[in-house]
Amino acid sequence: MQNLLINETSPYLLQHAHNPVEWYPWGEAALQKAKTEDKPILVSIGYSACHWCHVMERESFENEEIAAIMNKHLVCIKVDREERPDVDAIYMDALQAMGLRGGWPLNVFLMPDAKPFYGGTYFPPRNWANLVESISNAFKNDRQKLQKSAEGFTQNMLSKESDKYQMNIGEAGLQISEEDLNTIFNRLHKDFDFEKGGMNRSPKFPMPSIWKFLLRYYSISKDKRALEHLIHTLDRVALGGIYDTIGGGWTRYSTDEDWKVPHFEKMLYDNGQLTSLYAEAYALTRDDLYKEKVTETIVWLEKEMMSDEGGFYSALDADSEGEEGKFYVWSKQEIDEILGNEASEFCDVFDFSEEGNWEHRNNVVHLESRKFMKDGFPLTQEIKQKLFDYRSKRVRPGLDDKILCSWNGLMLKGLIDAYRYIGTQKFLDLALLNAHFLLEKMTIKVANEDGNESRGLWHNYKNGKANLVAYLEDYASVIDSYTALYQVTFDEKWLFEAEMLADYVMANFYDSEDEFFYFTDIQGEELIARKKEIFDNVIPASNSMMATNLYNLGTILGRNDFIEISNLMLAKMKTIMLTDPQWVTQWACLATQHTNPIAEIAIVGDNYLTIRTLMDKKYQPNKVFVGTNEASKLPLLQNRTTKKGETTIYVCFDKTCQLPTTDIEKALDLLKQ
């Protein structure tokens, strides 16, 4: 038994290829079938590491009786949300407009014209079968009402974001004061979980842009409350069950408020961002715990998540052998057998017992804080290795081996930040391997009439093929990582690749009326709505990332057109930042770059790479680097020469330069101005 998903490459779609449901992939064939047969459409959206997606498949989509009901009444379309975030965003937005809570699996019912009228997430099998019957009856007997609802939800999606959220520029334009940053922080502060870390809600998701804002805010304000909450949160997320202490890497979120019991899937986007965050936190604190977690995570990524070509895979599943978390949890008996005389102290420290510290007599490795570790009992490498070797013999969770451009961009940035702040050469080697993969396998090179090339990107890659044009999130993360890669290597190739991609985004994504960027390429597939991603979540919004890119890239390249657009976007977000900052913290990070002028650091001479490393010893996030040991056409390097043959450092703020120096300490002092 197989359906049309058998021809797809997405692991998630292939998981459903042998369902008795007559699934179609998203595309013209399915949409035309709905019109021809005059049937409502089911769009069922999920991803390969989604636990409840698997549950609904087992209970309903593998059930032949339920499948027969679905096949009779619906045209059924399966979508991998990671391959088609554009489709997912439209129908998730519709679900929320219906007043329903979003999540995955996402099941939305559409009219034959693809306009949504009802939806939900997970449904138990009996409820699901009854719902499909009810949808069919309503479609036959009350169609006009359904069509009216569908038109209303679609119209809501078509309204411009700046109108919907009242994004207006005040009379003062873009002015970000330290008092504004205090307001943003104090509003966030109200929602902190001071006891357990993170935000005061459950389940708890890693929110890297919130924590990055605390880093940036503390660097300006020196408000100890920001630093204390940041360290408390990072400790809990590093020591809790959400981090895989035995194998390295972070899982997607904590199901409880204690960071104890994870939702066990490991997503590349989390690990890329958290690698960046912990590396940056290490630069500020010099805390070896953070360095250790970054290093362990990169070791895991190289070993388990990197393809031979240099691309990173998307995810590891939560389930193995049909059970959530089975690969990662422990019985006390196993620990006794593996560790022998060391087992008693291990179980005492980690609260392991016969009854289990989780469900079904299972134990999760986690600590509440550092104080729970007994003196003289670090989790030694020898103990970790014993547990790792034992665990490796278990049935492994499924691997989603598709390669996504956007998530690879986030991971590339993580590797670059790890190298930048920790200095391990291996991290840069992996970064360059991944960057060349993106350049060679996921970049569309188009010859222009003037004989030059322009750049575009692919969104996905698997088995040597890419077939989906990139979304804004792909460009945003790759531009960010290429810009960062230039600043640790000073290889101008990466800077000009970033510039070409930014020019492509300006030409194909920018809405000059709304003054934000669409999520989809103008040359991509036309859907019922063309959305913009404005608000930051677990992954920052592609618009806030692009605004940051344009500001930094514009500063390095002297592209005032980039800077002006970035400033305009940020100015429109200021009111929201000041009133409800929790979902705009990447925007708030950009705002911190405007409180004081950005430092433009030019390094000229043979030791330019070494000097860059020394300049990064002081945590100062609001700066950009350029460097060379030869002639360069970059504006910030024009007329810059060595002083008496020694490598020379030029520090400028807001187009005003300090005296050049060859003394690293003097250069660092200049950053304090």
Side-chain angles (χ1 to χ4, degrees):
M1 182 186 297
Q2 64 186 39
N3 53 53
L4 291 174
L5 300 183
I6 198 68
N7 299 316
E8 297 298 303
T9 59
S10 157
Y12 177 67
L13 298 185
L14 289 171
Q15 286 168 6
H16 292 77
H18 297 282
N19 293 167
V21 178
E22 294 171 2
W23 292 116
Y24 280 74
W26 178 271
E28 186 57 35
L31 299 175
Q32 189 57 51
K33 178 181 172 69
K35 291 177 182 176
T36 302
E37 298 184 4
D38 197 32
K39 283 184 176 180
I41 300 168
L42 165 68
V43 174
S44 182
I45 305 174
Y47 57 99
S48 69
C50 168
H51 171 69
W52 287 103
C53 298
H54 296 324
V55 172
M56 192 163 180
E57 180 190 14
R58 287 196 299 269
E59 292 178 343
S60 295
F61 304 151
E62 292 179 354
N63 183 305
E64 293 194 10
E65 291 183 10
I66 294 177
I69 296 171
M70 294 170 65
N71 295 337
K72 178 181 178 182
H73 298 303
L74 305 169
V75 173
C76 301
I77 300 176
K78 251 297 165 197
V79 174
D80 180 340
R81 70 169 296 267
E82 296 163 359
E83 277 199 340
R84 295 302 303 259
D86 53 339
V87 175
D88 177 64
I90 285 173
Y91 294 116
M92 183 65 76
D93 192 29
L95 188 76
Q96 291 167 346
M98 296 170 193
L100 300 169
R101 183 176 179 178
W104 299 276
L106 174 62
N107 294 290
V108 182
F109 296 94
L110 323 179
M111 300 302 285
D113 59 6
K115 294 176 180 177
F117 62 85
Y118 188 69
T121 53
Y122 165 79
F123 293 88
R126 184 182 297 275
N127 295 16
W128 178 248
N130 290 340
L131 176 61
V132 172
E133 295 276 14
S134 298
I135 291 291
S136 176
N137 290 334
F139 185 77
K140 292 172 184 174
N141 302 318
D142 212 354
R143 181 165 180 165
Q144 189 173 0
K145 185 176 180 181
L146 293 187
Q147 190 69 52
K148 184 177 180 182
S149 293
E151 296 294 341
F153 294 132
T154 302
Q155 202 58 43
N156 178 72
M157 288 189 285
L158 291 172
S159 58
K160 289 192 174 294
E161 280 78 358
S162 58
D163 294 335
K164 190 184 297 187
Y165 301 109
Q166 297 182 332
M167 297 173 181
N168 300 313
I169 300 176
E171 291 182 8
L174 178 59
Q175 292 184 2
I176 306 290
S177 66
E178 192 167 330
E179 186 58 39
D180 290 330
L181 297 185
N182 293 340
T183 299
I184 294 169
F185 172 74
N186 285 324
R187 290 194 179 278
L188 288 171
H189 185 268
K190 293 194 290 89
D191 293 319
F192 288 164
D193 185 334
F194 299 105
E195 179 185 354
K196 302 177 187 300
M199 306 306 285
N200 194 17
R201 56 175 177 259
S202 176
K204 276 185 155 64
F205 285 82
M207 297 294 288
S209 67
I210 293 179
W211 306 336
K212 187 168 73 171
F213 171 75
L214 297 187
L215 268 169
R216 306 295 172 83
Y217 173 70
Y218 174 74
S219 74
I220 294 168
S221 69
K222 299 298 184 284
D223 188 327
K224 289 183 179 179
R225 296 176 301 161
L227 182 61
E228 287 169 358
H229 189 67
L230 174 71
I231 290 173
H232 181 47
T233 298
L234 295 185
D235 282 1
R236 292 299 298 266
V237 174
L239 296 170
I242 191 171
Y243 182 78
D244 180 5
T245 300
I246 305 305
W250 280 275
T251 56
R252 184 163 169 254
Y253 66 91
S254 173
T255 60
D256 59 6
E257 60 187 13
D258 294 311
W259 304 104
K260 176 181 178 181
V261 181
H263 212 314
F264 290 90
E265 67 260 45
K266 290 181 180 178
M267 314 300 293
L268 184 65
Y269 61 77
D270 286 319
N271 285 280
Q273 293 181 94
L274 289 169
T275 297
S276 283
L277 177 73
Y278 275 81
E280 195 171 319
Y282 175 74
L284 174 67
T285 65
R286 296 292 157 183
D287 190 322
D288 284 339
L289 176 67
Y290 302 160
K291 178 180 178 181
E292 176 186 80
K293 297 310 169 191
V294 168
T295 301
E296 289 175 350
T297 296
I298 294 174
V299 169
W300 162 70
L301 284 157
E302 182 188 14
K303 187 182 299 181
E304 298 189 30
M305 299 297 288
M306 197 173 208
S307 74
D308 292 339
E309 295 176 288
F312 286 102
Y313 301 130
S314 294
L316 282 177
D317 206 333
D319 297 9
S320 55
E321 300 182 81
E323 292 183 28
E324 183 186 5
K326 186 172 183 179
F327 182 76
Y328 298 100
V329 298
W330 304 87
S331 69
K332 184 176 183 302
Q333 182 181 350
E334 286 176 312
I335 299 298
D336 290 340
E337 291 173 0
I338 299 164
L339 299 185
N341 294 334
E342 297 170 305
S344 177
E345 193 166 15
F346 179 93
C347 291
D348 187 29
V349 169
F350 290 101
D351 191 30
F352 276 30
S353 66
E354 296 286 353
E355 295 75 26
N357 63 21
W358 186 42
E359 58 188 29
H360 308 308
R361 301 174 69 84
N362 288 316
N363 293 278
V364 175
V365 179
H366 104 293
L367 290 173
E368 296 289 333
S369 72
R370 299 185 204 210
K371 70 181 181 182
F372 286 86
M373 295 193 75
K374 289 189 173 182
D375 292 339
F377 186 78
L379 184 56
T380 65
Q381 191 57 45
E382 182 183 2
I383 290 176
K384 276 189 186 180
Q385 193 63 49
K386 286 180 181 179
L387 296 174
F388 180 84
D389 291 344
Y390 182 92
R391 197 179 77 173
S392 297
K393 298 172 186 175
R394 296 173 176 172
V395 175
R396 300 187 62 77
L399 171 69
D400 187 330
D401 61 350
K402 69 176 179 291
I403 295 172
L404 298 175
C405 188
S406 53
W407 297 4
N408 271 256
L410 294 172
M411 192 64 248
L412 175 55
K413 182 62 160 47
L415 291 170
I416 295 164
D417 286 339
Y419 170 71
R420 180 173 184 171
Y421 296 120
I422 296 173
T424 304
Q425 180 64 36
K426 178 69 171 179
F427 301 164
L428 180 59
D429 294 342
L430 290 173
L432 288 168
L433 179 62
N434 183 241
H436 280 104
F437 169 83
L438 291 172
L439 187 60
E440 293 161 14
K441 303 295 185 181
M442 303 198 75
T443 302
I444 306 167
K445 301 175 184 179
V446 181
N448 297 329
E449 294 178 0
D450 59 9
N452 295 319
E453 285 186 333
S454 63
R455 294 290 192 265
L457 293 172
W458 294 109
H459 174 65
N460 64 326
Y461 180 88
K462 188 181 175 189
N463 299 335
K465 296 178 182 178
N467 67 337
L468 296 170
V469 296
Y471 306 105
L472 185 62
E473 65 179 14
D474 300 299
Y475 288 92
S477 65
V478 172
I479 291 168
D480 183 28
S481 60
Y482 283 177
T483 306
L485 186 55
Y486 164 74
Q487 292 180 85
V488 297
T489 63
F490 295 132
D491 183 343
E492 293 183 8
K493 171 177 69 177
W494 301 113
L495 193 59
F496 294 125
E497 288 292 334
E499 183 179 22
M500 281 190 282
L501 292 175
D503 282 331
Y504 183 91
V505 170
M506 288 303 308
N508 293 278
F509 288 82
Y510 190 57
D511 180 354
S512 57
E513 181 181 342
D514 206 30
E515 295 165 326
F516 287 96
F517 293 96
Y518 287 110
F519 188 74
T520 53
D521 194 320
I522 195 171
Q523 300 181 58
E525 179 185 350
E526 186 175 347
L527 302 174
I528 62 169
R530 198 173 176 211
K531 302 293 294 176
K532 297 187 183 80
E533 188 180 57
I534 302 292
F535 293 100
D536 303 315
N537 206 309
V538 172
I539 300 176
S542 46
N543 265 282
S544 62
M545 291 184 69
M546 271 310 302
T548 305
N549 289 337
L550 292 174
Y551 185 69
N552 291 327
L553 198 55
T555 301
I556 294 172
L557 293 169
R559 290 282 301 265
N560 288 330
D561 56 333
F562 284 0
I563 294 172
E564 288 169 6
I565 291 168
S566 172
N567 290 350
L568 185 60
M569 295 168 73
L570 184 62
K572 284 193 166 191
M573 298 300 296
K574 182 177 176 180
T575 300
I576 297 174
M577 282 191 293
L578 294 174
T579 54
D580 190 14
Q582 193 168 152
W583 304 108
V584 288
T585 44
Q586 177 64 30
W587 293 103
C589 288
L590 177 56
T592 64
Q593 295 187 255
H594 287 267
T595 307
N596 298 309
I598 188 170
E600 303 160 1
I601 304 169
I603 307 170
V604 181
D606 291 340
N607 292 328
Y608 64 137
L609 290 171
T610 301
I611 295 296
R612 193 283 307 162
T613 302
L614 294 172
M615 292 290 289
D616 262 335
K617 294 294 184 185
K618 171 184 168 55
Y619 180 68
Q620 173 17 333
N622 191 23
K623 63 179 183 283
V624 293
F625 283 112
V626 293
T628 190
N629 60 356
E630 57 188 22
S632 171
K633 294 182 180 179
L634 289 179
L636 294 180
L637 290 171
Q638 292 296 295
N639 303 315
R640 300 286 167 81
T641 59
T642 59
K643 191 175 178 183
K644 296 180 180 179
E646 295 184 56
T647 300
T648 304
I649 309 161
Y650 296 80
V651 178
C652 303
F653 297 93
D654 197 17
K655 300 181 176 63
T656 302
C657 295
Q658 313 301 307
L659 289 175
T661 180
T662 59
D663 187 319
I664 186 68
E665 294 302 325
K666 286 184 179 178
L668 288 171
D669 285 341
L670 291 175
L671 292 181
K672 298 175 184 177
Q673 297 184 18

